[in-house]
Amino acid sequence: MDGKLAVIGLGSIGSMALWQASRLTDSVTGFEAQSPAHGRSAVGGDTRLFRMIYLGTPSLYPILERSRALWAELEAETGQDIFTRCGGLSIGTAGGSYISRLLETAQLNRAAHEILSHELLAERYPQHKLRPDDVAVYDPNAGVLRTDRAVTAAIGAAEANGAALHNNTPIDSITETDDGVVLTSGDTSWIFENVIVASGGWSQRLMPDYLKAHTETRRVFLSWFVARDAATFTPERFPIFSRMYEDRSMYGAPAVDGVTVKATLDGRGTVTNDPDHFSRELSEAEIAETLEAVSDFIPALIPTIVRSDAFPDLYTKDRNPLIGWLKESSRIYYATGFSGGGFKNATGFGHIAAHEALGKQPVDGLDFVRPERFRTT
């Protein structure tokens, strides 16, 4: 036996699961196919949004609260500046479905929020070009997470706690036996009591057929712009935002580097059969639609994409993640399938995965994320 627990994939969720597991045991090993926070993974793109108010099942709210506390713990433990609290805006039509559902979710969860009228929104945040019926829900606890810094900090903390690490070690297969789980990479093999599969867009390679049928790897692209006046897009003056109007939606983040502003079309992921080989360049249609949206929503940005990239991520059919054992009495635990929205909850779900995989603390009320929901026999 090579250890109590192996974590396969050290991206957003895997790095956090490794960190949390290292707090519980010194017999945990992480396997990364390349290197932590490498530029080809879904961690790429510098930042992710953290929001306490967003459309989703109310059962996620306690995990969001736990995640927020754990992000602070990771910063305190590593001395890294990971989370920048700058607030968040959700902009949409007054009385429309988007704003109404957000308010319903915020009120149900008793989440702190403020309703900004059209006039107040225009006064506070003139960077946004508004339609006459636009309003916003303001989330005072929202902000920006630095992805590369977060992942490398979590892995560093795990190693300091005694976790072992194998970089540039892609896992080719996992085989469950009566005694444990056998991992193979090339001609080398290991055996662990239990395994967490957290390899994001590459997770299908380590899944049974019935789960593959309910998941797909999608290419998600990001884009950045330069502001006409950089001083108006700092975190102090420009909150993260999500904006929806009819069939167009866009989200973004302030210029955490002092130069580039993230502004990206939402819901434009396309299926890719191979997470290692797909176009990282934006198509002419993607560029045109992005520029049109930026010109319409945020004319204070120069309508030229100065940087873009694309990354693979695993999506489930119902857009809820896979968190839990493959089946009852299994030794294989999945923490993947976050469908483009997992980073804000990475610490919370990493905590759940580590504790459950080590048999420490099972969590109730998570039927909507358990892999067994897709079993038909």
Side-chain angles (χ1 to χ4, degrees):
M1 191 70 65
D2 292 289
K4 290 184 178 180
L5 180 66
V7 180
I8 302 173
L10 300 180
S12 57
I13 307 300
S15 62
M16 303 304 155
L18 186 75
W19 169 47
Q20 289 295 308
S22 73
R23 290 174 150 189
L24 302 171
T25 178
D26 60 0
S27 185
V28 58
T29 300
F31 292 86
E32 170 55 48
Q34 297 189 44
S35 58
H38 64 87
R40 306 280 74 85
S41 76
V43 171
D46 297 341
T47 60
R48 292 294 184 275
L49 310 188
F50 179 88
R51 297 178 287 170
M52 296 297 292
I53 301 173
Y54 75 106
L55 297 181
T57 172
S59 299
L60 282 173
Y61 191 75
I63 302 171
L64 273 171
E65 290 186 307
R66 179 183 295 173
S67 296
R68 182 173 60 170
L70 287 169
W71 286 121
E73 286 186 25
L74 181 60
E75 288 183 316
E77 187 171 330
T78 63
Q80 294 292 317
D81 183 11
I82 296 168
F83 176 59
T84 299
R85 179 176 165 180
C86 59
L89 293 172
S90 296
I91 303 172
T93 304
S97 173
Y98 178 54
I99 295 297
S100 298
R101 290 166 61 201
L102 278 174
L103 286 173
E104 181 181 346
T105 300
Q107 291 160 2
L108 180 64
N109 293 328
R110 299 181 180 179
H113 67 282
E114 181 183 0
I115 303 172
L116 301 184
S117 66
H118 181 277
E119 293 74 20
L120 191 54
L121 178 60
E123 178 185 345
R124 286 192 191 177
Y125 305 109
Q127 303 93 330
H128 294 278
K129 179 183 176 183
L130 304 177
R131 289 178 168 80
D133 52 359
D134 277 340
V135 296
V137 178
Y138 178 73
D139 178 352
N141 293 310
V144 178
L145 292 163
R146 304 299 296 267
T147 54
D148 296 346
R149 195 174 296 170
V151 168
T152 54
I155 293 173
E159 287 188 289
N161 292 338
L165 188 65
H166 292 280
N167 287 328
N168 301 303
T169 309
I171 298 301
D172 301 318
S173 67
I174 52 176
T175 305
E176 192 166 357
T177 70
D178 292 337
D179 300 319
V181 184
V182 178
L183 279 60
T184 62
S185 177
D187 296 330
T188 307
S189 64
W190 302 262
I191 184 167
F192 291 86
E193 291 181 17
N194 295 306
V195 170
I196 295 175
V197 177
S199 42
W202 291 265
S203 295
Q204 279 191 322
R205 299 172 179 177
L206 302 175
M207 280 183 176
D209 288 341
Y210 84 87
L211 272 186
K212 290 180 184 177
H214 291 278
T215 60
E216 58 189 15
T217 299
R218 299 180 73 88
R219 167 189 174 271
V220 181
F221 69 84
L222 301 174
S223 52
W224 289 261
F225 296 80
V226 171
R228 300 183 191 279
D229 180 2
T232 63
F233 283 87
T234 63
E236 295 76 19
R237 299 180 64 181
F238 188 72
I240 67 166
F241 73 91
S242 177
R243 187 165 182 179
M244 189 171 294
Y245 179 74
E246 295 180 344
D247 63 344
R248 177 183 291 165
S249 58
M250 175 168 272
Y251 66 92
V256 293
D257 62 357
V259 179
T260 54
V261 179
K262 178 184 284 185
T264 296
L265 291 173
D266 197 11
R268 298 301 191 274
T270 54
V271 177
T272 178
N273 294 322
D274 187 348
D276 289 312
H277 300 93
F278 59 87
S279 176
R280 305 186 70 88
E281 301 294 326
L282 271 60
S283 68
E284 291 185 5
E286 290 168 339
I287 292 172
E289 187 181 7
T290 300
L291 294 180
E292 183 181 1
V294 163
S295 298
D296 191 18
F297 287 160
I298 318 176
L301 298 178
I302 298 172
T304 300
I305 298 174
V306 297
R307 177 184 164 205
S308 67
D309 210 337
F311 310 92
D313 202 2
L314 189 71
Y315 282 63
T316 63
K317 295 297 185 183
D318 62 9
R319 296 300 187 264
N320 289 318
L322 299 171
I323 300 290
W325 299 106
L326 177 60
K327 58 184 177 180
E328 188 176 352
S329 75
S330 176
R331 294 177 178 273
I332 301 173
Y333 189 102
Y334 284 90
T336 187
F338 286 86
S339 305
F343 205 95
K344 58 183 171 291
N345 275 320
T347 48
F349 276 122
H351 181 276
I352 291 170
H355 281 73
E356 290 193 330
L358 287 168
K360 301 290 185 181
Q361 186 180 338
V363 180
D364 295 325
L366 294 179
D367 289 347
F368 70 104
V369 300
R370 299 306 193 189
E372 284 197 287
R373 72 187 186 274
F374 290 125
R375 288 184 67 88
T376 57
T377 58

PDB file of all heavy atoms in Angstrom, residues 12-13 313 338-347 349:
ATOM      1  N   SER A  12      -8.120  23.111  -9.923  1.00  0.00           N
ATOM      2  CA  SER A  12      -8.893  23.904  -8.973  1.00  0.00           C
ATOM      3  C   SER A  12      -9.393  23.074  -7.794  1.00  0.00           C
ATOM      4  O   SER A  12      -9.193  23.446  -6.637  1.00  0.00           O
ATOM      5  CB  SER A  12     -10.074  24.570  -9.691  1.00  0.00           C
ATOM      6  OG  SER A  12     -10.884  23.604 -10.332  1.00  0.00           O
ATOM      7  N   ILE A  13     -10.022  21.940  -8.046  1.00  0.00           N
ATOM      8  CA  ILE A  13     -10.587  21.136  -6.966  1.00  0.00           C
ATOM      9  C   ILE A  13      -9.540  20.200  -6.372  1.00  0.00           C
ATOM     10  O   ILE A  13      -9.428  20.055  -5.150  1.00  0.00           O
ATOM     11  CB  ILE A  13     -11.787  20.317  -7.468  1.00  0.00           C
ATOM     12  CG1 ILE A  13     -12.798  21.224  -8.162  1.00  0.00           C
ATOM     13  CG2 ILE A  13     -12.442  19.571  -6.309  1.00  0.00           C
ATOM     14  CD1 ILE A  13     -13.364  22.325  -7.297  1.00  0.00           C
ATOM     15  N   ASP A 313     -12.986  22.038 -19.884  1.00  0.00           N
ATOM     16  CA  ASP A 313     -13.598  21.749 -18.591  1.00  0.00           C
ATOM     17  C   ASP A 313     -14.673  20.693 -18.804  1.00  0.00           C
ATOM     18  O   ASP A 313     -15.250  20.592 -19.898  1.00  0.00           O
ATOM     19  CB  ASP A 313     -14.206  23.007 -17.975  1.00  0.00           C
ATOM     20  CG  ASP A 313     -14.373  22.889 -16.456  1.00  0.00           C
ATOM     21  OD1 ASP A 313     -13.980  21.841 -15.900  1.00  0.00           O
ATOM     22  OD2 ASP A 313     -14.887  23.840 -15.837  1.00  0.00           O
ATOM     23  N   PHE A 338     -17.500  20.323 -12.918  1.00  0.00           N
ATOM     24  CA  PHE A 338     -18.037  21.568 -12.358  1.00  0.00           C
ATOM     25  C   PHE A 338     -18.605  22.522 -13.407  1.00  0.00           C
ATOM     26  O   PHE A 338     -19.080  23.601 -13.078  1.00  0.00           O
ATOM     27  CB  PHE A 338     -16.971  22.256 -11.507  1.00  0.00           C
ATOM     28  CG  PHE A 338     -16.766  21.561 -10.204  1.00  0.00           C
ATOM     29  CD1 PHE A 338     -15.885  20.493 -10.107  1.00  0.00           C
ATOM     30  CD2 PHE A 338     -17.466  21.929  -9.075  1.00  0.00           C
ATOM     31  CE1 PHE A 338     -15.703  19.815  -8.916  1.00  0.00           C
ATOM     32  CE2 PHE A 338     -17.307  21.260  -7.882  1.00  0.00           C
ATOM     33  CZ  PHE A 338     -16.414  20.205  -7.789  1.00  0.00           C
ATOM     34  N   SER A 339     -18.570  22.113 -14.657  1.00  0.00           N
ATOM     35  CA  SER A 339     -19.321  22.788 -15.719  1.00  0.00           C
ATOM     36  C   SER A 339     -19.022  24.276 -15.826  1.00  0.00           C
ATOM     37  O   SER A 339     -19.920  25.103 -16.016  1.00  0.00           O
ATOM     38  CB  SER A 339     -20.822  22.564 -15.507  1.00  0.00           C
ATOM     39  OG  SER A 339     -21.124  21.182 -15.422  1.00  0.00           O
ATOM     40  N   GLY A 340     -17.747  24.624 -15.695  1.00  0.00           N
ATOM     41  CA  GLY A 340     -17.329  26.000 -15.902  1.00  0.00           C
ATOM     42  C   GLY A 340     -17.566  26.934 -14.737  1.00  0.00           C
ATOM     43  O   GLY A 340     -17.297  28.134 -14.843  1.00  0.00           O
ATOM     44  N   GLY A 341     -18.059  26.415 -13.602  1.00  0.00           N
ATOM     45  CA  GLY A 341     -18.374  27.306 -12.490  1.00  0.00           C
ATOM     46  C   GLY A 341     -17.894  26.833 -11.142  1.00  0.00           C
ATOM     47  O   GLY A 341     -18.486  27.189 -10.117  1.00  0.00           O
ATOM     48  N   GLY A 342     -16.816  26.046 -11.098  1.00  0.00           N
ATOM     49  CA  GLY A 342     -16.432  25.425  -9.842  1.00  0.00           C
ATOM     50  C   GLY A 342     -15.426  26.162  -8.994  1.00  0.00           C
ATOM     51  O   GLY A 342     -15.293  25.855  -7.807  1.00  0.00           O
ATOM     52  N   PHE A 343     -14.704  27.142  -9.549  1.00  0.00           N
ATOM     53  CA  PHE A 343     -13.562  27.654  -8.801  1.00  0.00           C
ATOM     54  C   PHE A 343     -13.977  28.369  -7.518  1.00  0.00           C
ATOM     55  O   PHE A 343     -13.304  28.256  -6.499  1.00  0.00           O
ATOM     56  CB  PHE A 343     -12.708  28.591  -9.659  1.00  0.00           C
ATOM     57  CG  PHE A 343     -11.282  28.652  -9.185  1.00  0.00           C
ATOM     58  CD1 PHE A 343     -10.318  27.833  -9.757  1.00  0.00           C
ATOM     59  CD2 PHE A 343     -10.907  29.479  -8.140  1.00  0.00           C
ATOM     60  CE1 PHE A 343      -9.009  27.857  -9.298  1.00  0.00           C
ATOM     61  CE2 PHE A 343      -9.610  29.511  -7.681  1.00  0.00           C
ATOM     62  CZ  PHE A 343      -8.652  28.700  -8.255  1.00  0.00           C
ATOM     63  N   LYS A 344     -15.074  29.096  -7.547  1.00  0.00           N
ATOM     64  CA  LYS A 344     -15.474  29.830  -6.343  1.00  0.00           C
ATOM     65  C   LYS A 344     -15.704  28.885  -5.163  1.00  0.00           C
ATOM     66  O   LYS A 344     -15.483  29.241  -4.009  1.00  0.00           O
ATOM     67  CB  LYS A 344     -16.718  30.663  -6.614  1.00  0.00           C
ATOM     68  CG  LYS A 344     -17.919  29.891  -7.101  1.00  0.00           C
ATOM     69  CD  LYS A 344     -19.071  30.842  -7.414  1.00  0.00           C
ATOM     70  CE  LYS A 344     -20.210  30.132  -8.115  1.00  0.00           C
ATOM     71  NZ  LYS A 344     -19.849  29.716  -9.487  1.00  0.00           N
ATOM     72  N   ASN A 345     -16.166  27.674  -5.477  1.00  0.00           N
ATOM     73  CA  ASN A 345     -16.442  26.683  -4.437  1.00  0.00           C
ATOM     74  C   ASN A 345     -15.335  25.655  -4.286  1.00  0.00           C
ATOM     75  O   ASN A 345     -15.536  24.634  -3.630  1.00  0.00           O
ATOM     76  CB  ASN A 345     -17.738  25.938  -4.765  1.00  0.00           C
ATOM     77  CG  ASN A 345     -18.971  26.673  -4.279  1.00  0.00           C
ATOM     78  OD1 ASN A 345     -18.963  27.229  -3.183  1.00  0.00           O
ATOM     79  ND2 ASN A 345     -20.017  26.683  -5.083  1.00  0.00           N
ATOM     80  N   ALA A 346     -14.175  25.905  -4.866  1.00  0.00           N
ATOM     81  CA  ALA A 346     -13.121  24.888  -4.884  1.00  0.00           C
ATOM     82  C   ALA A 346     -12.675  24.499  -3.479  1.00  0.00           C
ATOM     83  O   ALA A 346     -12.467  23.315  -3.194  1.00  0.00           O
ATOM     84  CB  ALA A 346     -11.923  25.383  -5.694  1.00  0.00           C
ATOM     85  N   THR A 347     -12.514  25.465  -2.598  1.00  0.00           N
ATOM     86  CA  THR A 347     -12.082  25.132  -1.236  1.00  0.00           C
ATOM     87  C   THR A 347     -13.160  24.346  -0.501  1.00  0.00           C
ATOM     88  O   THR A 347     -12.864  23.383   0.209  1.00  0.00           O
ATOM     89  CB  THR A 347     -11.739  26.401  -0.448  1.00  0.00           C
ATOM     90  OG1 THR A 347     -12.800  27.361  -0.603  1.00  0.00           O
ATOM     91  CG2 THR A 347     -10.435  27.015  -0.908  1.00  0.00           C
ATOM     92  N   PHE A 349     -15.675  22.438  -1.768  1.00  0.00           N
ATOM     93  CA  PHE A 349     -15.814  21.081  -2.295  1.00  0.00           C
ATOM     94  C   PHE A 349     -14.546  20.268  -2.054  1.00  0.00           C
ATOM     95  O   PHE A 349     -14.613  19.052  -1.885  1.00  0.00           O
ATOM     96  CB  PHE A 349     -16.155  21.120  -3.778  1.00  0.00           C
ATOM     97  CG  PHE A 349     -17.624  21.302  -4.054  1.00  0.00           C
ATOM     98  CD1 PHE A 349     -18.083  22.366  -4.793  1.00  0.00           C
ATOM     99  CD2 PHE A 349     -18.548  20.394  -3.557  1.00  0.00           C
ATOM    100  CE1 PHE A 349     -19.442  22.534  -5.053  1.00  0.00           C
ATOM    101  CE2 PHE A 349     -19.906  20.541  -3.803  1.00  0.00           C
ATOM    102  CZ  PHE A 349     -20.350  21.623  -4.549  1.00  0.00           C
TER     103      PHE A 349
END
